[in-house]
Amino acid sequence: MPSQIKDLPKAMVFTDLDGTLLDHHTYSFEAALPAIDKLHREHVPIVPTTSKTVSEVKQIMSRISLDGPFIFENGAGIAIPLGYLPRMPDGCEHDNDFLIKSFAPPRQQWQGVLLELSKTFKNEFVSFSDMTITRIAELTGLNEKDAELAADRKFGEPVKWLSTEARRNEFLSMLKDKGAEPLIGGRFLHVSSACNKGMAMQWLVREIAQQFHQTTLLSIALGDGNNDVDMLELADIAVRIPSPVNPRPQLKRSDNLLDPKGIGPIGWAEAIDSILPMLTKKVN
Ligand SMILES: [Mg+2]
């Protein structure tokens, strides 16, 4: 895939990673490779859109040979490789080889809030920034190298709750008073502000269409979980990938919605194979 776009693509694919492009259990994307090749040949960019960090996404993208933009930390930020777009969009900052568009306050803001709350909730929680990589690896089940990539966050701060549920509810309400929109995950409580994958997807589609003075850029979103709902509702074409662990996310829409049968990357390839002929017919 070229690291620069010279013409407006006809469509863009926004894809969740875990359980969608990557198999839930094995993290393999093998089954999706033929469909990825077809998208490359049609010059359709594939934009990973995930809860993962920049460091984690970069590692996965190099395995799949993707080098375009990506949406990370659940839509809190977009990373656009330098030189990918003809012009630098408004409101972006340089960060190494990327332009970063942020939709959320930086992690440091929540670290400050948590430091303040640690007086009221002494020894009742511990946040990522206070843990060693070894401890994060133990709690996440990742190896130390992957735990280091997962800990390299720009926006939200994961917190391990150590006290009772009643105290956790008090903690959550104090966080909300301070402007956070905390999310309760399986292992951690994620302290960040309201942001979602859909909002970030729309920003990128609009920016690219504007830079090429066009409005015909179609968005195709693929996801398997509840954190994909916003992008699945907002995309021109939505694909719900079956998961071996979650029910299909509930959506309000029923138009331009595909429900492939295959799990993970198998369903991903199935959906792309059925969408591609429509695209070449409609837009070319
Ligand atoms: Mg997923």
Side-chain angles (χ1 to χ4, degrees), residues 5-26:
I5 42 173
K6 296 193 177 77
D7 295 311
L8 181 81
K10 55 194 132 201
M12 292 181 77
V13 165
F14 291 85
T15 181
D16 171 50
L17 293 176
D18 286 353
T20 298
L21 181 55
L22 308 180
D23 181 86
H24 178 81
H25 297 294
T26 65

Side-chain angles (χ1 to χ4, degrees), residues 73-114:
E73 293 189 39
N74 264 329
I78 305 178
I80 306 167
L82 290 179
Y84 181 81
L85 289 172
R87 289 190 309 278
M88 178 166 165
D90 290 339
C92 284
E93 281 174 25
H94 280 266
D95 187 344
N96 296 310
D97 299 334
F98 293 99
L99 295 173
I100 303 286
K101 170 72 185 173
S102 308
F103 297 93
R107 179 183 188 182
Q108 291 78 357
Q109 176 173 319
W110 304 120
Q111 288 171 332
V113 165
L114 288 165

Side-chain angles (χ1 to χ4, degrees), residues 16-22 24 49-51 197 222-228 243 246:
D16 171 50
L17 293 176
D18 286 353
T20 298
L21 181 55
L22 308 180
H24 178 81
T49 305
T50 172
S51 57
K197 294 179 174 186
L222 302 96
D224 73 320
N226 284 334
N227 65 343
D228 300 313
S243 158
N246 322 318

Side-chain angles (χ1 to χ4, degrees), residues 14-61:
F14 291 85
T15 181
D16 171 50
L17 293 176
D18 286 353
T20 298
L21 181 55
L22 308 180
D23 181 86
H24 178 81
H25 297 294
T26 65
Y27 299 107
S28 168
F29 50 84
E30 206 67 33
L33 278 175
I36 292 173
D37 281 345
K38 287 178 200 164
L39 290 169
H40 286 178
R41 282 201 294 276
E42 294 294 330
H43 305 289
V44 175
I46 301 169
V47 182
T49 305
T50 172
S51 57
K52 292 182 178 299
T53 65
V54 168
S55 304
E56 292 176 295
V57 186
K58 271 164 63 179
Q59 197 201 43
I60 293 166
M61 284 177 75

Side-chain angles (χ1 to χ4, degrees), residues 143-216:
N143 63 41
E144 293 214 2
K145 196 173 164 284
D146 289 343
E148 201 167 347
L149 301 179
D152 185 17
R153 308 189 68 85
K154 288 189 189 300
F155 297 102
E157 178 71 15
V159 162
K160 176 78 185 159
W161 186 251
L162 306 170
S163 182
T164 64
E165 205 180 316
R167 284 291 280 166
R168 188 186 70 180
N169 291 339
E170 286 173 45
F171 180 71
L172 289 174
S173 94
M174 283 176 82
L175 278 169
K176 284 180 193 159
D177 289 346
K178 297 192 180 291
E181 191 105 347
L183 276 176
I184 303 167
R187 295 184 174 99
F188 301 101
L189 223 156
H190 290 269
V191 182
S192 71
S193 65
C195 53
N196 67 65
K197 294 179 174 186
M199 208 168 67
M201 173 188 78
Q202 278 196 314
W203 182 92
L204 189 58
V205 168
R206 206 174 296 139
E207 183 62 38
I208 292 177
Q210 262 173 18
Q211 292 216 12
F212 290 96
H213 310 290
Q214 296 276 346
T215 50
T216 51

Side-chain angles (χ1 to χ4, degrees), residues 235-257:
D236 294 310
I237 299 174
V239 181
R240 282 190 297 196
I241 299 292
S243 158
V245 288
N246 322 318
R248 285 189 202 265
Q250 291 292 310
L251 298 180
K252 293 192 196 94
R253 74 186 290 172
S254 55
D255 62 309
N256 294 321
L257 172 63

